[in-house]
Amino acid sequence: MKLNVRWAKTDHIAIALSGGVDSSVLYHMLSTSYKDTYQSLTIFHVNHGVRVESKHEQEVLERLALKNGHVFLSIRLELDDFTQQKGRTARYQFFSAMMESHGIDYCLTAHHADDDVETILHELLSTRHLYGVGIKERHGKFLRPMLHLSKVKILDYAKTYGVLVLEDVSNERDDYTRNYIRHNVVPAIDVHPSLSTKALLQFKEDFSDMDSLVTETAKAFLKDKNAFNRDAFNELNKIVKLRVLSILFNDYIERAFIEECVSILERNTAQAELSKNDFKLVVSYDTFTVKKIDDEIIDEVRVISSPGKYKFNGYTIDVELVEEPITVRTRRVGDRILLPNLGTKKVNRIFIDKKIPNHLRDKMPIIVNSDGQIIAVGPIYNIIKSFNHLKFDIKLDIKE
Ligand SMILES: Nc1ncnc2c1ncn2[C@@H]1O[C@H](COP(=O)(O)OP(=O)(O)OP(=O)(O)O)[C@@H](O)[C@H]1O
């Protein structure tokens, strides 16, 4: 049985060893027939602490590492309400931190071809295929040298070489969809004479090549521009449109959101804004752009109609909810602020009462609601609570 070796003889590699059959076989191979392919090998183990045997398993693996002269780095997670997803995130954080602090070149995991088939089916059947399908054989510093091997081959190897496996490490996840695919979809494929799971792996390879073409076309459209022509965008092929927007939103892949952006650009809407995470799509007549919200500077009168973080003269206006547009501007003669149930008060009076220096008075954002009433004066008179379907906060960024 062969591994796909992508590391060099001089590399310090690590293996993510759960103690289950897959990673135990990988460890066995690395410690025997592949022991001359790297400089040193470290073991990473995460004890999720969800089963009583976990502590014992950790000790067994640690003794094995000691016997083989390998460094053993482990962590016991203390997660409230353990879920598979939380466990996975914590695992990868631990692996990355250990690679960084111990100067480790690669971390090897024991994903195999059956995992790949399940993942491909999961992505295809739940429209998660915007950025290719299946498990990547290499993802940054993570390598999957067994990705081409079937589970049957791995089990055969374990039997032939008497590999030590912690029987209790369950491969059954609490991921309902993955388990459903594993038990109900996959078994129904290979028993049919003209269907094969191998075809899915071929599809993954072809799809990856097509995907590269889509990315190339999208990048050519984006090249050297910050603002884009809406008509030119609308003439692109649908999948290229999705890719253009995914790239602009920093590789964001939630299909529903990206499709919503596409449909706004296709419709006759003259002006619109749509934000996600730290990015915002701004459509203005025949052009559009996607901006990082933190980079945005407002230094004139500006209408805000969607949530996000807006910069204004050294202040940040953090808008959480805005059902009717608000205007942000600097002070004007005669400005009066609305005091709920108490009438109004001169903005100038507030500045005097709070001893605000003149140079700051000229910069401070004044927030005006859609009825033309002033509802906030910078951070000094700031309605943080919900107010007429509006929720925002204003902070001073720079020390004056
Ligand atoms: N507790 C653990 N400690 C160390 N390595 C682990 C642990 N659990 C899993 N791994 C590594 O990750 C590989 C994949 O495990 P598994 O299929 O259970 O992961 P998953 O939850 O599907 O997540 P992902 O596929 O994103 O890694 C294992 O073969 C092993 O190399």
Side-chain angles (χ1 to χ4, degrees), residues 116 120 123-124 128-129 131-135 200 203-204 207:
D116 209 6
I120 296 167
E123 287 164 342
L124 288 178
R128 288 163 200 236
H129 57 275
Y131 252 104
V133 289
I135 299 172
L200 280 170
F203 167 75
K204 173 191 174 187
F207 191 76

Side-chain angles (χ1 to χ4, degrees), residues 16-18 23 44 46 48 88 91-92 95 109-111 173:
L17 180 61
S18 63
S23 54
F44 291 160
V46 175
H48 292 117
R88 179 183 293 136
R91 249 186 348 253
Y92 280 96
F95 298 156
T109 61
H111 293 87
R173 306 176 177 94

